[in-house]
Amino acid sequence: MPISVFDLFKIGVGPSSSHTVGPMQAAFDFVRELQERSLLQRVARVEVQLYGSLSATGIGHGTDRAVIMGLMGERPNHIDPDIIGPSIDTLREAEALHLDGHHRVPFLWARDMQLFEESLPHHPNAMRLIAYTD
């Protein structure tokens, strides 16, 4: 099976692409799935749960920020890294997340960004994204 250098090296938004590229893409895909199921407009709250390695070192590596940016509709290979800091600052100040850049939901960092030391059964880098409706 041929492997390209592009399979090995990925563009990321933090010092560790394994902690940013996958989580950002997963968050982006999560929002797309909500849209495809016509559920996005019904979402009243989103919770992010980071487990194992993503919890232990992910904050320093930017996992939390990458997930949020994915939920906002950004993709790892298209994002301008200069928008990340200001976007996170705005979210924290307003306590609101704009899913796919449009649908506003409350987001309280201390409540909605959860870190768990334990790992999930199938992988040490795991996360859950949970959307709640009214």
Side-chain angles (χ1 to χ4, degrees):
M1 176 171 89
I3 296 177
S4 164
V5 70
F6 298 109
D7 294 322
L8 299 174
F9 298 103
K10 302 283 185 193
I11 296 170
V13 297
S16 172
S17 62
S18 68
H19 282 81
T20 56
V21 172
M24 183 186 285
Q25 186 64 49
F28 178 87
D29 292 344
F30 178 73
V31 172
R32 288 289 171 258
E33 183 71 21
L34 290 170
Q35 285 179 326
E36 289 174 12
R37 294 180 181 208
S38 299
L39 295 172
L40 185 61
Q41 296 304 315
R42 293 182 51 208
V43 175
R45 182 176 153 232
V46 172
E47 188 174 291
V48 176
Q49 298 177 347
L50 303 178
Y51 290 87
S53 178
L54 291 183
S55 173
T57 62
I59 301 303
H61 289 177
T63 305
D64 55 343
R65 295 174 299 149
V67 170
I68 294 300
M69 297 310 297
L71 291 171
M72 289 181 175
E74 298 291 341
R75 298 178 75 182
N77 57 340
H78 292 94
I79 190 168
D80 174 359
D82 292 336
I83 72 165
I84 297 170
S87 295
I88 298 299
D89 291 344
T90 298
L91 177 148
R92 286 180 176 252
E93 185 177 308
E95 296 183 333
L97 170 64
H98 290 86
L99 294 171
D100 195 33
H102 304 290
H103 182 64
R104 186 179 192 275
V105 295
F107 192 89
L108 305 176
W109 202 274
R111 177 192 71 188
D112 298 323
M113 180 63 68
Q114 300 180 6
L115 309 175
F116 298 99
E117 291 182 18
E118 71 266 14
S119 293
L120 293 181
H122 300 291
H123 200 280
N125 289 344
M127 65 183 215
R128 285 188 177 129
L129 300 170
I130 303 167
Y132 298 93
T133 60
D134 288 331

